[in-house]
Amino acid sequence: MSERFDFTGDELAPAYRAAVDAIEAGDLVVMPTDTVYGLAADAFKADAVQRLLDAKGRGRDMPPPVLISVVESLDALATDIPDNGRKLCEEFWPGPLTVICHAQTSLMWDLGETQGTVALRVPDHENTRELLSRTGPLAVSSANKSGQPAALDVYDAEEQLGESVAVYLDGGEATGGQPSTIVDLTGDTPRVVRVGALTVDQLRAVVPDVAADSDEPPAAETPTEDKPADETPAEDKPADEKPAEDKPLVDESAEDKPAGVEATGEAVVASKEDDTKTDPDVRPADRGHDS
């Protein structure tokens, strides 16, 4: 049976304890972020990630992004990060920026059809970052059924997801209301995959050579299906997330959103270090982790 906890104020111990217990058990948690409410699962438990996808009614072709607690964890989960991409992370994290990177090959997880990439974000929500420091990286997608608007409060999330979620954390109404902006860092030049809370101009103020689809000349018009009018907040597209058309999300986005190399399809999970680890967001793959 689902439980709901207050995630505001100073008395947060019961909420943290319940959320950590649920994540360790492979269950799902709904939590607030700086953009929209997110649906979270242990990123290193393949069955928990699949449970997240099933709850949303989403396939493995739309893998969720991964939320981390500190920018310093970027190199633990991603590799070959260009200097201009690192600049964006240092400037806009914590905040509504999701970056798609090449995933570290030493991390054995199964987020879906990621094609060797992972989408990462540090949310600008103090209580949620504290939770992430206790759980380690979480696969997080927007807290809604696929095709429905992302939840902006815990009650909307609960109405959509019901008993598929073990713990709901009530942080009040989400103040952002827009999904994160997604930037692909897997190429030579950072490319905007989805414009969200951050504009292209804001990104270019830090890295002038950021590319965007709007830079390309319009193609000849051909008949296409109409897009739904209500696309904001887009599907997490983060907890952020919907994968880019040219590359799948490895992380999503994901909540908030992302894309890279062909996935193996093998579901493998990594272990967590004990409480004495120095990096709260890294869990090595050399110890078996129950899935």
Side-chain angles (χ1 to χ4, degrees):
M1 184 172 182
S2 299
E3 295 182 278
R4 189 191 313 131
F5 293 85
D6 181 27
F7 205 48
T8 61
D10 299 324
E11 297 300 321
L12 297 176
Y16 285 131
R17 186 164 51 248
V20 170
D21 287 348
I23 292 297
E24 289 181 347
D27 292 327
L28 304 182
V29 171
V30 161
M31 62 190 190
T33 76
D34 51 327
T35 55
V36 297
Y37 268 72
L39 176 63
D42 188 336
F44 291 88
K45 287 181 180 288
D47 57 341
V49 174
Q50 186 59 52
R51 193 170 290 123
L52 182 156
L53 296 174
D54 292 343
K56 286 181 64 74
R58 166 178 288 183
R60 287 173 51 82
D61 60 327
M62 296 180 70
V66 173
L67 296 195
I68 54 180
S69 64
V70 291
V71 66
E72 289 78 12
S73 294
L74 177 63
D75 291 297
L77 302 179
T79 187
D80 299 328
I81 304 158
D83 290 342
N84 49 17
R86 195 177 298 278
K87 272 187 181 179
L88 291 174
C89 294
E90 291 171 350
E91 176 68 22
F92 295 110
W93 281 359
L97 171 69
T98 296
V99 293
I100 302 167
C101 309
H102 295 292
Q104 284 281 5
T105 56
S106 61
L107 292 173
M108 300 191 183
W109 49 16
D110 182 19
L111 297 171
E113 296 171 11
T114 63
Q115 297 191 4
T117 66
V118 61
L120 299 169
R121 185 166 93 85
V122 178
D124 189 12
H125 191 289
E126 185 177 357
N127 292 347
T128 295
R129 287 200 309 278
E130 172 60 26
L131 176 60
L132 287 163
S133 75
R134 300 182 185 209
T135 62
L138 294 179
V140 181
S141 183
S142 56
N144 57 280
K145 287 287 190 181
S146 188
Q148 298 301 312
L152 298 181
D153 62 47
V154 74
Y155 302 103
D156 186 9
E158 195 169 2
E159 183 178 350
Q160 294 194 52
L161 300 170
E163 294 296 320
S164 65
V165 174
V167 172
Y168 288 89
L169 300 178
D170 184 0
E173 186 169 355
T175 55
Q178 281 186 291
S180 65
T181 293
I182 301 166
V183 178
D184 184 357
L185 302 181
T186 61
D188 295 333
T189 302
R191 170 168 287 277
V192 177
V193 172
R194 183 186 72 194
V195 176
L198 293 175
T199 66
V200 174
D201 287 343
Q202 286 176 291
L203 299 174
R204 286 177 175 163
V206 178
V207 176
D209 60 345
V210 167
D213 290 341
S214 56
D215 300 331
E216 300 171 359
E221 252 184 63
T222 55
T224 57
E225 291 185 11
D226 290 340
K227 292 183 180 178
D230 186 3
E231 288 195 320
T232 56
E235 271 219 37
D236 212 1
K237 270 181 179 186
D240 348 82
E241 308 163 48
K242 159 185 198 173
E245 291 182 3
D246 53 340
K247 299 179 185 178
L249 295 186
V250 179
D251 76 65
E252 179 182 29
S253 334
E255 244 112 105
D256 306 304
K257 273 262 117 292
V261 195
E262 190 169 320
T264 64
E266 296 182 64
V268 277
V269 290
S271 66
K272 302 180 183 175
E273 294 186 12
D274 40 51
D275 296 336
T276 59
K277 63 183 181 230
T278 55
D279 187 335
D281 284 329
V282 186
R283 293 185 265 188
D286 57 358
R287 234 171 71 195
H289 188 63
D290 293 339
S291 61

